[in-house]
Amino acid sequence: MIINKNVMNIQAEKIELVKMLLDTENPKIIESIKKIFKKAKTTDFWDDLSIEQRKEIETASREIENGEVTDYDSFMKKHR
């Protein structure tokens, strides 16, 4: 049976963290850990976007990287 070394390291780290948490009497540390978990559970806006919206953003990013942009003043001059 082959066990991934990274999985073992993560499990060891988790056990160590549980031990530290059980040993502490400091409510500030416990509250800080709770905040970390709450932040980690919040979803990324990207996950809420539709596939079409994601594609539009990716296209726009490529255009910016390729220098395919128009500055605001030039755009406004054309459309006034």
Side-chain angles (χ1 to χ4, degrees), residues 4 6 20 44 47-48 50 56 66 68 72 75 77:
N4 186 335
N6 290 331
M20 292 168 64
D44 187 343
D47 298 331
D48 295 331
S50 69
E56 288 179 21
N66 294 331
E68 301 168 18
Y72 176 78
F75 177 83
K77 284 180 185 176

Side-chain angles (χ1 to χ4, degrees), residues 4-75:
N4 186 335
K5 193 173 184 177
N6 290 331
V7 172
M8 292 298 293
N9 289 340
I10 290 172
Q11 293 304 319
E13 289 291 327
K14 288 166 56 175
I15 291 168
E16 185 62 29
L17 286 170
V18 168
K19 287 179 186 177
M20 292 168 64
L21 181 59
L22 291 171
D23 288 342
T24 188
E25 297 296 327
N26 187 334
K28 289 182 180 180
I29 292 174
I30 294 170
E31 190 59 36
S32 294
I33 292 170
K34 285 168 108 176
K35 286 179 183 177
I36 291 169
F37 277 104
K38 285 179 183 177
K39 277 187 178 181
K41 287 183 181 179
T42 59
T43 59
D44 187 343
F45 83 94
W46 187 258
D47 298 331
D48 295 331
L49 297 176
S50 69
I51 292 173
E52 293 80 22
Q53 290 170 319
R54 291 179 187 185
K55 287 180 181 178
E56 288 179 21
I57 292 171
E58 290 168 347
T59 299
S61 292
R62 278 193 301 278
E63 288 173 352
I64 292 168
E65 288 174 5
N66 294 331
E68 301 168 18
V69 296
T70 302
D71 66 89
Y72 176 78
D73 292 329
S74 299
F75 177 83

